[in-house]
Amino acid sequence: MGNLWTGTVTLAVLLAAIVAVPATVAAQDEQTFVVVQGSECVQITPLGDGTQSVENFYDYRSTTTTARGQYTSYGTRDIQLSQTSQVFVYAGSEGLSLVFLHDRFGDDDGGFAATADISGLPTDGEWAIEDDSYTNRDDVFRHSATSSHIEWVSNGNRTDGGAFRGLGSSNYRTISVDIAFNDESNRYPFDEWQGSPSQNQLEEWVVRSGSGETTELDMDEPIEISPGTCSGGISTFTPTETATSTSTPTMSASAETDSDQSSTAAPIQADESTESGGAGVMSNNTVNDLGVGVATVLAAIVVLLALLALVRQN
């Protein structure tokens, strides 16, 4: 009988450990973001598995970095797209980052110009990567507490971009991104381009998901990025006291099928019949709280069983 009690206590301890530890991991793995443009919405998951920092993932190299390179991102070469601007979320070892990645290294095509105004950034975040970041660079990065103004110019054959780390913060709800591409940019045309201005343009803007899917965006319209789902609405990283019911459109993402990973379909029109409400969305902290609550109950059972075992032995 003593062995039975000992086995029961051991089982309860193991159950408590199993429930308590994965709560945070499950919340990170299931985290989703929505990218809304006009009446359309696409739901994405982060790239990365949390094992390396966004700096190591992006791997920006120049003539002044420890690992020398050609003023470009070396770590993203397998997802770079020629004459295409990408935006996505990356899950790194130091948290979630919003990443911008323009063009493809070594494609021998033309350059580009793009001017971005980004607002709604959490105050406790930081720009972990500025591509480019060398002295007397042509690019412009100006940051304030919750916004940034960026001007990217390239003469081709390399990337530009950046990464803002801090999307796991509770100090924001929605990040707005307004990018003026090509002749809409204040830096167009760039005097270092070879060939005519029309040969130095970004041709497409896409949002990338951790699944590998890309969805084409309208290059003339801004986007809004928030934690949440297209069906459940915007969530936050802390529980909210009240939730506002909103009608959030849904949209299917296009899958990459060709050799250079280009997006193969335009966004599908939103389904206006989809009704969503924030009350149905659980934040990361809500998921964590559920796990902690279950673990607490199991811990109480452990204590009770241990006391009963002592009484039994006496």
Side-chain angles (χ1 to χ4, degrees):
M1 185 63 71
N3 290 337
L4 176 60
W5 282 106
T6 301
T8 304
V9 172
T10 302
L11 178 60
V13 172
L14 289 174
L15 285 173
I18 290 171
V19 172
V21 172
T24 301
V25 176
Q28 178 176 343
D29 290 345
E30 297 170 1
Q31 179 61 42
T32 58
F33 288 81
V34 292
V35 178
V36 176
Q37 186 176 58
S39 62
E40 299 178 338
C41 176
V42 61
Q43 184 172 304
I44 62 172
T45 57
L47 282 68
D49 57 9
T51 60
Q52 65 174 342
S53 68
V54 69
E55 292 93 338
N56 288 338
F57 160 73
Y58 196 90
D59 191 16
Y60 172 77
R61 303 183 191 181
S62 70
T63 57
T64 61
T65 55
T66 302
R68 302 299 177 89
Q70 299 298 315
Y71 306 97
T72 196
S73 168
Y74 283 75
T76 63
R77 295 184 72 170
D78 59 333
I79 62 171
Q80 293 171 11
L81 300 173
S82 182
Q83 304 307 117
T84 300
S85 174
Q86 301 184 64
V87 59
F88 55 87
V89 177
Y90 180 79
S93 57
E94 299 179 38
L96 295 163
S97 299
L98 178 62
V99 181
F100 300 90
L101 179 63
H102 311 302
D103 210 355
R104 184 175 184 175
F105 175 49
D107 62 1
D108 293 326
D109 286 336
F112 60 87
T115 301
D117 286 296
I118 306 166
S119 60
L121 298 169
T123 55
D124 52 353
E126 63 174 344
W127 282 94
I129 298 168
E130 294 182 352
D131 178 3
D132 290 295
S133 58
Y134 58 87
T135 304
N136 296 323
R137 62 189 176 188
D138 295 310
D139 296 342
V140 172
F141 286 82
R142 290 200 301 265
H143 311 303
S144 63
T146 61
S147 63
S148 292
H149 175 83
I150 304 173
E151 299 173 7
W152 288 291
V153 287
S154 170
N155 56 11
N157 198 34
R158 67 185 194 188
T159 67
D160 263 341
F164 179 88
R165 180 166 49 224
L167 270 63
S169 169
S170 61
N171 295 326
Y172 82 106
R173 183 174 175 83
T174 297
I175 297 173
S176 299
V177 178
D178 189 357
I179 303 182
F181 295 102
N182 304 324
D183 58 354
E184 297 296 323
S185 170
N186 63 312
R187 300 295 299 276
Y188 182 96
F190 184 45
D191 56 12
E192 294 184 16
W193 284 342
Q194 295 181 4
S196 66
S198 63
Q199 295 175 307
N200 292 271
Q201 296 192 4
L202 290 170
E203 300 171 354
E204 193 174 29
W205 188 20
V206 302
V207 57
R208 176 179 290 272
S209 181
S211 63
E213 296 177 340
T214 62
T215 301
E216 184 177 355
L217 300 170
D218 187 336
M219 297 182 73
D220 296 321
E221 297 293 333
I223 60 174
E224 293 185 339
I225 303 169
S226 311
T229 63
C230 285
S231 60
I234 298 172
S235 64
T236 62
F237 285 86
T238 55
T240 53
E241 296 181 359
T242 59
T244 302
S245 178
T246 58
S247 178
T248 306
T250 59
M251 180 177 68
S252 300
S254 62
E256 296 172 345
T257 57
D258 60 2
S259 60
D260 68 352
Q261 298 180 309
S262 298
S263 175
T264 59
I268 299 173
Q269 289 297 321
D271 180 3
E272 296 298 339
S273 64
T274 302
E275 183 68 19
S276 63
V281 181
M282 287 196 302
S283 68
N284 277 5
N285 285 354
T286 303
V287 176
N288 288 340
D289 291 342
L290 288 175
V292 172
V294 175
T296 301
V297 172
L298 290 176
I301 295 175
V302 170
V303 174
L304 178 60
L305 291 176
L307 290 174
L308 289 174
L310 290 174
V311 172
R312 184 83 177 176
Q313 291 175 357
N314 291 333

